[in-house]
Amino acid sequence: MLIRRGTLLDGSVVDIRLEERITEVGRELSPHSHEEVYDAALGTVIPGLHDHHVHLYSAAAALESVRVGPAEVTGRDDLARVLAGAEVGSDGWIRAVGYHEAVAGPLDRTVLDEVSPPVPVRVQHRSGILWTLNSVGLAQVGLADHPDGRLRSADRSWSNTLQRRATSLDRLSRRLCEYGVTGITDATPDLEVADMVRLVEAHRHGDLRQQVYFLAPGKRILHDDALDLDELTAWIAERHDAGGPVALHCVTAAQLVVTIAALRAAGGHPQDRIEHAAVVPDDAIAELVDVGVTVVTQPNFVAERGDQYLTDVPAADQPHLWRLASLLKAQVPVALSTDMPFGDGDPWAAMRAAVHRQTPTGAVLNADECVSPRTALTLFFGAPTRPARPRTIAENQPGDLCVLAMPPADALAELDAGMVAATIVGGEVVYQRS
């Protein structure tokens, strides 16, 4: 296809010919016979956004789940009301997501029994690493005698007993197209080969329009109560010996310190990643530079959860939360993502959070970590296997593009999904705003 009159971020106006990859960039290119032509009308053309850390199956299921986070539910009575009105899924369960202790305190089977209807109910913590089941649900998965009903998401011994819901990737993919997202990296740690094959086939058949990449089997979630430096070092070395990188989930300072020590001991791989880096103490920044690891982080959590951070996190530790500008200044390789569905899947909202760092009530968390609009945008341009290396509009670059309905200066001022006029994957228009 041929894109006419597209404005690049540097202000130059060009035509772009592309198939699976960009084949030509120039001024006033002549259309080929039967070539599809799209007039960008001087709007901005950028590389398609790549969300470097999402959970596809969970995101699709979340669209069909009831939300019980602090933004939707307040107090135990309200939680009971929401669960009572929730629709039972095709698998016979009520599936609720986004829970946090701010809603109704710590959740266990006893509390859930008191507030849930007499059907199987499972409630996912907003961190994504924990589910709480009521007694009916525990009996359903063969754990009737479990002491508290709190089960880790990565524990296949119970989750494999669940009937998988028939979730629609098409609905999720359409929403991502509206955001200008052309590629995604699935960060689910226990994703099996059959799951990956289904996602690749979904892309091939058009149900999942985005290009899809995977961190599994090299993704690992760390837990503060099970940090073992020697074991982690051995696992990393084994992955490297097999030629693969690692991606390590770090949301606490302790997890980050142990991860850095393990990477230093095991030796690095150029594609090693730290996921989240939610807490980065000052002295850890130089360590990150030294081990050469890429950080894939989510400043959108400042905009989504910042008020709770200001309440729950000691003031001395708040400057260490969701750092960005300080990492870039130190030349740590960094890319952005949304952690959908545990974070809002709109990458433009994540960009705005990176620029302004405003909490839901308008407070600013760590103003020193703000970055420019152009930097925030570019941090979603990274190549799938090199997230910190931005793609450009040039010959032989991937034919995955996003067209915005306004010139660069206005687009950078807005950073809003409503600007997306067209999304192009592999040289084909997969979304066009009417």
Side-chain angles (χ1 to χ4, degrees):
M1 69 172 295
L2 179 66
I3 299 175
R4 304 291 303 272
R5 300 195 303 157
T7 307
L8 304 185
L9 283 175
D10 64 7
S12 58
V13 177
V14 298
D15 295 346
I16 305 163
R17 177 168 281 119
L18 64 155
E19 297 172 358
E20 284 290 329
R21 307 190 77 82
I22 297 173
T23 60
E24 193 174 3
V25 178
R27 298 293 300 273
E28 299 182 358
L29 300 180
S30 299
H32 293 165
S33 178
H34 306 298
E35 184 175 45
E36 180 182 2
V37 177
Y38 179 89
D39 184 7
L42 302 181
T44 307
V45 181
I46 58 175
L49 306 182
H50 190 100
D51 196 332
H52 294 281
H53 184 117
V54 303
H55 303 268
L56 277 172
Y57 286 119
S58 294
L63 294 178
E64 302 168 3
S65 303
V66 58
R67 297 201 61 83
V68 293
E72 297 87 16
V73 180
T74 304
R76 186 174 294 193
D77 290 344
D78 198 22
L79 178 60
R81 177 189 61 79
V82 171
L83 291 177
E87 183 177 346
V88 177
S90 58
D91 59 355
W93 286 73
I94 291 175
R95 186 183 193 277
V97 297
Y99 187 83
H100 183 268
E101 290 73 16
V103 170
L107 191 65
D108 60 18
R109 69 181 293 172
T110 301
V111 173
L112 192 53
D113 284 348
E114 294 174 358
V115 299
S116 64
V119 299
V121 176
R122 63 184 191 269
V123 179
Q124 187 179 46
H125 193 271
R126 75 176 185 185
S127 66
I129 65 175
L130 186 72
W131 288 89
T132 301
L133 278 61
N134 67 353
S135 294
V136 182
L138 288 167
Q140 187 88 1
V141 299
L143 296 173
D145 296 327
H146 194 278
D148 58 18
R150 293 158 62 88
L151 307 175
R152 283 184 172 169
S153 302
D155 183 357
R156 288 276 184 171
S157 66
W158 73 274
S159 61
N160 278 346
T161 67
L162 297 172
Q163 174 189 341
R164 174 169 284 175
R165 290 190 180 191
T167 55
S168 172
L169 290 170
D170 179 75
R171 178 182 171 191
L172 176 65
S173 182
R174 288 181 183 277
R175 178 174 296 185
L176 293 174
C177 288
E178 293 175 4
Y179 294 152
V181 174
T182 59
I184 42 186
T185 296
D186 191 288
T188 308
D190 56 349
L191 204 64
E192 296 181 347
V193 172
D195 296 321
M196 299 182 200
V197 170
R198 277 193 288 270
L199 290 173
V200 171
E201 286 296 300
H203 174 68
R204 189 168 70 86
H205 292 298
D207 294 329
L208 179 64
R209 294 152 188 82
Q210 288 71 27
Q211 310 273 7
V212 60
Y213 303 83
F214 307 98
L215 295 185
K219 164 75 182 295
R220 183 157 179 177
I221 294 178
L222 303 183
H223 302 278
D224 280 0
D225 59 357
L227 292 175
D228 185 328
L229 175 58
D230 292 338
E231 190 277 331
L232 181 61
T233 300
W235 180 80
I236 293 172
E238 182 180 357
R239 284 286 305 158
H240 288 173
D241 288 344
V246 297
L248 298 162
H249 168 112
C250 293
V251 295
T252 68
Q255 292 167 14
L256 183 66
V257 168
V258 170
T259 291
I260 291 173
L263 288 169
R264 188 183 299 281
H269 185 288
Q271 295 176 26
D272 283 343
R273 301 166 38 142
I274 288 177
E275 308 302 309
H276 310 304
V279 182
V280 181
D282 291 337
D283 55 3
I285 295 178
E287 298 284 339
L288 290 170
V289 175
D290 195 40
V291 297
V293 65
T294 295
V295 170
V296 178
T297 189
Q298 298 86 26
N300 48 301
F301 287 125
V302 172
E304 296 169 30
R305 308 175 183 177
D307 291 321
Q308 278 185 285
Y309 297 149
L310 292 172
T311 300
D312 299 342
V313 178
D317 295 334
Q318 290 174 13
H320 304 158
L321 294 173
W322 300 108
R323 303 183 84 151
L324 188 53
S326 57
L327 298 180
L328 293 169
K329 182 178 179 181
Q331 298 187 346
V332 175
V334 178
L336 296 186
S337 64
T338 67
D339 197 17
M340 176 185 70
F342 309 113
D344 189 311
D346 180 354
W348 300 95
M351 294 176 214
R352 295 194 300 275
V355 173
H356 304 295
R357 297 188 69 90
Q358 285 190 333
T359 73
T361 60
V364 176
L365 179 63
N366 299 353
D368 290 343
E369 296 296 338
C370 295
V371 298
S372 71
R374 182 159 182 165
T375 296
L377 176 60
T378 303
L379 291 175
F380 274 99
F381 289 172
T385 57
R386 297 283 186 168
R389 183 177 296 174
R391 292 162 290 129
T392 60
I393 306 295
E395 290 183 12
N396 207 37
Q397 287 284 311
D400 306 328
L401 303 178
C402 175
V403 182
L404 308 178
M406 54 182 63
D410 294 338
L412 292 172
E414 292 287 336
L415 291 179
D416 190 274
M419 305 180 302
V420 177
T423 302
I424 299 161
V425 176
E428 295 184 7
V429 176
V430 296
Y431 168 75
Q432 186 169 346
R433 189 177 299 276
S434 59

